[in-house]
Amino acid sequence: MRMVDLIEKKRDNQELTKEEINFIISGYTNKDIPDYQVSALLMAIYFNGMTNDESTALTMAMLNSGDTIDLSKVEGIKVDKHSTGGVGDKTTLVLGPLVASAGVKVAKLSGRGLGHTGGTLDKLESIPGLSINIEIEDFIKQVNDLGIAVAGQTANLCPADKLLYALRDVTATVPSIPLIASSIMSKKLASGSDVIVLDVKIGDGAFMKTIEEARELSKVMVGIGTSVGKRVVAFITDMGQPLGFAVGNKLEVIEAIETLQGNGPEDLTELCNEIGAYMVYLGGRTATLEEAKTLIKEQITSNKASEKQHKLIEMQGGKLPDLDGFVQVKEVVEVVSGTAGYIEDIDALAIGVAAMKLGAGRETKDQDVDPDVGVVLNKKVGDFVKEDEALAYVYNNKEDIESILEEISDAFVITEKPVEKKSIIFEIITEKDL
Ligand code: URA
């Protein structure tokens, strides 16, 4: 086989076979095929797309390029969830313990934040003592004993995806639905769970900007998972404004703890209850989805979910923070509204970038984050704000943040007419929709 012939084939919009895709991925991982040829192929895929068979073959080739996690020693059905990333997205910290407390095993490998989106690992590591570096045997033991473990991805999980992602980043080929779908699904399938619930976000703070794109990505991912025998459901959800109020590592940990105590923001609570119910139902814990919804709500009212979250923190070496003194910053600055009116929009991307500039996130992979800083919204879309009332509170440790404060203020669009609050969930795609 010659790489040039395969590039030509894809350029002419013909379907690549599984063997050809395996040849490309193993050749690229072994450094037998150079970047420039793979770059050309990626651009051909960007323009011509891939069939479902091709996307599945690419996913499996990337999965087989490295280690896979064998969860067969964990009893019962294992469930996982993945979010395509957003601003203020602390769902794993809420959902994981919520679902585990309902009796379904959660084995979760998470990532770090990059750019305007945060990462679960940075949030967890903001809790003093907590470690996400768990050996696989301990990870499996913890999932069996506690029902949940959250760890960092091992270095050798899907190495082909790491190489391809870096190349896509510099060849303008990141926003390709089959490439995004196979990148996400290769890592999820390598992590070994039986059930995968995907949270595909739409909006200015997300990868997908429209419902049509999100629907297509969801269908491709559900199709890939189903074709290899997994139960996969995709939620399409709103990232038109930050999720919840808090953006920033410790600030989000506090919000996640409060949410499981029954005092969470409406949107985060709705999202976690709905996704949680699907995870519990597909995890085989209840006979119907309705029963799963009831069971999830009971986990909060009975305090069981909150207890599970505290145990998770302790078991991974963390000390449950005293929420009052947890965040230590030089100053908390109020961003106030210049006019009275209803909040029509809060630019999630702008808030995410502002939080990153404060130090809550990283612009490049190797930067450290400041766990204490960030933004807490005081108003969400649909709320009324009075003149001079706070729109947001900025937790800051830096000098001279005037331009950041301005960006946060500009992120709010205020109108005279009342604005309706929408559900955060737009659609749910299951294998029946394929
Ligand atoms: N997340 C991933 O893991 N891969 C992509 O290609 C896009 C988002």
Side-chain angles (χ1 to χ4, degrees):
M1 245 181 256
R2 292 191 324 151
M3 182 65 183
V4 64
D5 299 328
L6 305 183
I7 299 171
E8 195 176 305
K9 204 171 165 188
K10 194 74 233 175
R11 181 200 66 192
D12 296 343
N13 207 8
Q14 294 171 41
E15 189 174 22
L16 296 172
T17 66
K18 189 169 145 191
E19 291 69 32
E20 287 166 342
I21 290 174
N22 285 341
F23 168 83
I24 295 165
I25 294 304
S26 66
Y28 187 50
T29 316
N30 299 335
K31 304 204 169 10
D32 294 333
I33 302 176
D35 279 351
Y36 55 82
Q37 284 191 306
V38 179
S39 303
L41 179 81
L42 289 173
M43 194 54 88
I45 294 174
Y46 177 86
F47 282 113
N48 289 330
M50 284 183 129
T51 63
N52 281 347
D53 285 349
E54 284 179 308
S55 301
T56 303
L58 178 59
T59 305
M60 297 314 283
M62 294 205 288
L63 178 155
N64 290 324
S65 70
D67 298 341
T68 52
I69 312 280
D70 178 7
L71 293 180
S72 57
K73 291 208 188 96
V74 177
E75 295 137 32
I77 300 174
K78 281 76 69 179
V79 302
D80 193 0
K81 79 123 243 310
H82 176 82
S83 150
T84 56
V87 178
D89 187 354
K90 68 282 290 173
T91 45
T92 295
L93 307 185
V94 179
L95 256 179
L98 179 58
V99 170
S101 74
V104 173
K105 303 266 170 56
V106 182
K108 180 89 183 83
L109 296 183
S110 289
R112 295 195 181 280
L114 188 61
H116 68 280
T117 61
T120 300
L121 297 187
D122 298 317
K123 296 172 216 232
L124 280 172
E125 281 183 337
S126 74
I127 301 171
L130 194 143
S131 169
I132 48 78
N133 297 315
I134 313 176
E135 292 297 327
I136 184 69
E137 295 75 28
D138 297 333
F139 181 80
I140 288 171
K141 184 172 183 323
Q142 188 176 316
V143 179
N144 267 328
D145 294 348
L146 186 65
I148 176 168
V150 185
Q153 278 170 16
T154 62
N156 201 34
L157 198 84
C158 299
D161 174 61
K162 287 198 187 84
L163 291 171
L164 274 186
Y165 194 89
L167 193 61
R168 286 166 58 204
D169 212 15
V170 292
T171 54
T173 51
V174 168
S176 149
I177 285 179
L179 294 178
I180 296 175
S182 48
S183 166
I184 293 175
M185 289 307 288
S186 61
K187 287 172 289 202
K188 287 289 107 185
L189 296 175
S191 306
S193 287
D194 310 295
V195 171
I196 300 163
V197 180
L198 301 160
D199 179 7
V200 177
K201 306 228 171 261
I202 327 179
D204 48 26
F207 262 106
M208 298 291 116
K209 306 293 176 209
T210 65
I211 184 93
E212 290 77 20
E213 284 174 337
R215 203 177 281 139
E216 197 187 331
L217 176 65
S218 301
K219 285 187 180 174
V220 177
M221 292 195 290
V222 173
I224 292 170
T226 308
S227 66
V228 295
K230 306 284 178 182
R231 301 287 306 272
V232 186
V233 172
F235 279 66
I236 301 179
T237 70
D238 188 18
M239 192 28 78
Q241 63 175 333
L243 181 57
F245 293 102
V247 181
N249 297 299
K250 283 190 181 177
L251 296 166
E252 291 187 46
V253 167
I254 294 176
E255 192 162 86
I257 289 174
E258 289 175 346
T259 301
L260 285 186
Q261 289 166 348
N263 303 319
E266 246 172 74
D267 55 354
L268 179 65
T269 304
E270 181 194 353
L271 186 68
C272 291
N273 284 353
E274 289 294 313
I275 296 186
Y278 265 86
M279 290 169 81
V280 163
Y281 168 58
L282 295 176
R285 179 70 180 77
T286 59
T288 66
L289 185 59
E290 283 316 306
E291 283 174 52
K293 287 187 185 184
T294 309
L295 186 62
I296 279 290
K297 289 203 177 119
E298 279 168 12
Q299 301 313 302
I300 310 248
T301 48
S302 66
N303 220 27
K304 283 190 187 143
S306 175
E307 282 165 16
K308 187 66 77 178
Q309 187 186 46
H310 299 178
K311 285 202 186 113
L312 170 69
I313 292 172
E314 280 162 24
M315 204 138 180
Q316 295 198 199
K319 187 169 168 347
L320 187 70
D322 173 1
L323 298 191
D324 280 343
F326 186 40
V327 174
Q328 297 286 333
V329 283
K330 194 178 72 172
E331 58 180 0
V332 180
V333 186
E334 239 180 81
V335 174
V336 296
S337 178
T339 57
Y342 294 90
I343 312 291
E344 189 175 17
D345 185 33
I346 307 171
D347 183 337
L349 178 61
I351 300 287
V353 170
M356 181 191 74
K357 288 183 183 166
L358 290 166
R362 45 176 85 75
E363 243 158 318
T364 59
K365 273 191 189 150
D366 305 320
Q367 270 174 348
D368 286 333
V369 296
D370 181 341
D372 291 86
V373 299
V375 180
V376 176
L377 307 180
N378 190 42
K379 298 286 171 184
K380 296 274 290 183
V381 170
D383 287 346
F384 184 80
V385 64
K386 294 186 234 155
E387 190 178 343
D388 288 333
E389 199 186 354
L391 289 168
Y393 299 97
V394 178
Y395 287 69
N396 175 49
N397 276 331
K398 288 217 154 127
E399 300 301 318
D400 189 16
I401 56 161
E402 272 318 302
S403 63
I404 301 179
L405 296 178
E406 224 168 274
E407 283 162 26
I408 294 171
S409 173
D410 290 348
F412 286 81
V413 179
I414 298 169
T415 172
E416 283 172 9
K417 289 201 198 114
V419 175
E420 203 190 329
K421 287 194 185 220
K422 290 181 299 187
S423 163
I424 188 165
I425 299 165
F426 293 143
E427 272 179 36
I428 302 173
I429 307 280
T430 69
E431 56 194 60
K432 293 199 192 100
D433 299 299
L434 299 181

